[in-house]
Amino acid sequence: MSEKDGKYLTTGEFAKLCKVNKQTLFYYDQIGLLTPVLKNEKGYRYYSIRQIELFFVIDLLKELGMSLNDIQQYMQNKSPESFLSLMYQKKEEIVKRRQEIEAKEKMIEAKIALMEEASNLDFSQVTLEQLPEATLYLSRNIQNISDEEFVEVISDFINELNVSHLDSGYPIGVITKREQVIRGEFSNYSYLYIEQPNPKVGYPYFQAVKGEFLIGYHIGDEKTIHKTYKRLFSEMERLDLSLGDYVFEEYIYDTVVKNHTEHYVTKIMMQINQK
């Protein structure tokens, strides 16, 4: 059988078929990962067409994050059983990665929808709206805790969202109970929360009941938020309404899209009852 009877490929031809440069094949040969089937007395290397599938498997494993050293170890002990086991392992990794990507896509879609909605809002308006039922994931109780404890709770809550994959892309908000709001303790929150449009089974959730809410927007930091609450209470009195059990706050614009706190926008949703 001659070197060029149609069954062998030069290094250049094989590299072109595999869409890599010849140096990659030289390196694979050097480390014993993919060795030419034939080397003549002049040092020319020739590959078999049957080796293309082997190259594609090596390339696939590299793309899936497997190191050349690990691929070498497999090649030194390859068998149908070990190949099948490796493929099952990589399939599981791909499924997990796909789920993570899909979750991130949903997060981005939520952020896009919220930002597009915000661009059409009139922050000077106070409106009475019917809000649907919502499922919320809560932090532990933060009412009457110190600043140091508050930082710890935020850290723990964000860690829970990451570990349990509960970050839905919605803003982290705060719930304040009626008693605190009535006393003017607007920053004495009871819980942090994040909305869960697709709640997972097995987690404790807070069900925010549907109903009427008085909604307004505070521009600036929390030091002046009492002025916005005063405006909301005035509107509540004008409409002959009473405050319900909870008040919800969420950032519309924060440090992600604004550089200065005086430009931050907080959405305040006050649950109300008809007198």
Side-chain angles (χ1 to χ4, degrees):
M1 182 184 294
S2 70
E3 295 166 0
K4 295 298 291 177
D5 65 357
K7 297 184 184 298
Y8 290 89
L9 301 167
T10 66
T11 301
E13 290 168 338
F14 193 78
K16 186 175 182 180
L17 281 175
C18 297
K19 296 181 173 55
V20 293
N21 56 49
K22 292 191 292 185
Q23 284 69 32
T24 297
L25 297 179
F26 292 152
Y27 181 64
Y28 284 0
D29 182 19
Q30 179 185 339
I31 64 175
L33 193 59
L34 180 60
T35 301
V37 294
L38 177 65
K39 294 180 184 178
N40 67 13
E41 64 278 359
K42 295 181 180 180
Y44 291 114
R45 297 170 167 87
Y46 293 95
Y47 293 83
S48 166
I49 193 73
R50 296 177 183 274
Q51 290 181 288
I52 291 178
E53 180 61 24
L54 177 57
F55 177 87
F56 287 160
V57 169
I58 293 171
D59 203 45
L60 172 64
L61 295 174
K62 278 179 57 183
E63 286 184 5
L64 294 176
M66 197 168 175
S67 69
L68 288 179
N69 184 55
D70 288 342
I71 297 173
Q72 280 178 291
Q73 290 183 22
Y74 162 74
M75 293 300 174
Q76 291 167 5
N77 302 281
K78 57 188 174 183
S79 68
E81 294 77 16
S82 61
F83 179 73
L84 188 59
S85 176
L86 180 60
M87 290 298 99
Y88 273 122
Q89 176 190 334
K90 292 305 172 185
K91 181 182 177 181
E92 288 179 5
E93 292 175 5
I94 289 173
V95 169
K96 183 179 179 181
R97 191 181 303 178
R98 184 193 304 127
Q99 291 171 341
E100 291 172 349
I101 291 172
E102 289 174 351
K104 285 182 172 61
E105 182 182 16
K106 289 179 181 178
M107 287 171 56
I108 290 172
E109 287 174 349
K111 292 181 184 300
I112 289 172
L114 290 168
M115 198 55 56
E116 288 181 341
E117 179 185 357
S119 66
N120 295 314
L121 293 174
D122 182 351
F123 298 138
S124 65
Q125 293 293 312
V126 175
T127 58
L128 188 61
E129 299 181 27
Q130 186 79 18
L131 295 186
E133 187 178 80
T135 301
L136 310 178
Y137 183 72
L138 303 186
S139 70
R140 65 178 186 266
N141 194 298
I142 57 175
Q143 190 173 313
N144 298 320
I145 64 174
S146 66
D147 291 344
E148 291 77 12
E149 290 172 314
F150 184 66
V151 171
E152 182 183 333
V153 170
I154 291 176
S155 177
D156 290 345
F157 187 63
I158 291 173
N159 187 57
E160 288 172 21
L161 298 182
N162 290 332
V163 171
S164 301
H165 305 291
L166 293 171
D167 189 345
S168 59
Y170 283 76
I172 293 176
V174 291
I175 299 175
T176 311
K177 292 181 180 178
R178 181 181 187 276
E179 292 75 14
Q180 277 61 52
V181 175
I182 292 295
R183 289 201 290 263
E185 299 174 1
F186 307 121
S187 297
N188 190 5
Y189 313 121
S190 296
Y191 301 96
L192 305 173
Y193 73 86
I194 187 168
E195 188 172 343
Q196 300 290 295
N198 301 295
K200 295 182 178 181
V201 177
Y203 291 91
Y205 294 112
F206 175 84
Q207 209 66 33
V209 297
K210 64 180 180 180
E212 285 190 303
F213 286 78
L214 194 66
I215 299 177
Y217 301 90
H218 172 67
I219 300 174
D221 61 24
E222 64 178 31
K223 294 177 183 177
T224 58
I225 203 168
H226 63 279
K227 296 179 181 178
T228 302
Y229 270 97
K230 182 178 180 181
R231 185 160 62 96
L232 288 168
F233 275 120
S234 295
E235 184 66 7
M236 194 181 302
E237 186 176 348
R238 186 184 72 81
L239 296 172
D240 198 27
L241 303 171
S242 63
L243 184 63
D245 293 332
Y246 302 104
V247 174
F248 302 85
E249 288 184 20
E250 295 176 1
Y251 270 130
I252 299 294
Y253 293 154
D254 59 8
T255 185
V256 174
V257 296
K258 295 291 185 178
N259 287 324
H260 305 289
T261 56
E262 60 265 28
H263 298 145
Y264 289 3
V265 178
T266 305
K267 183 178 184 179
I268 302 173
M269 296 163 280
M270 306 179 76
Q271 190 177 29
I272 56 92
N273 298 315
Q274 299 286 343
K275 287 185 179 179

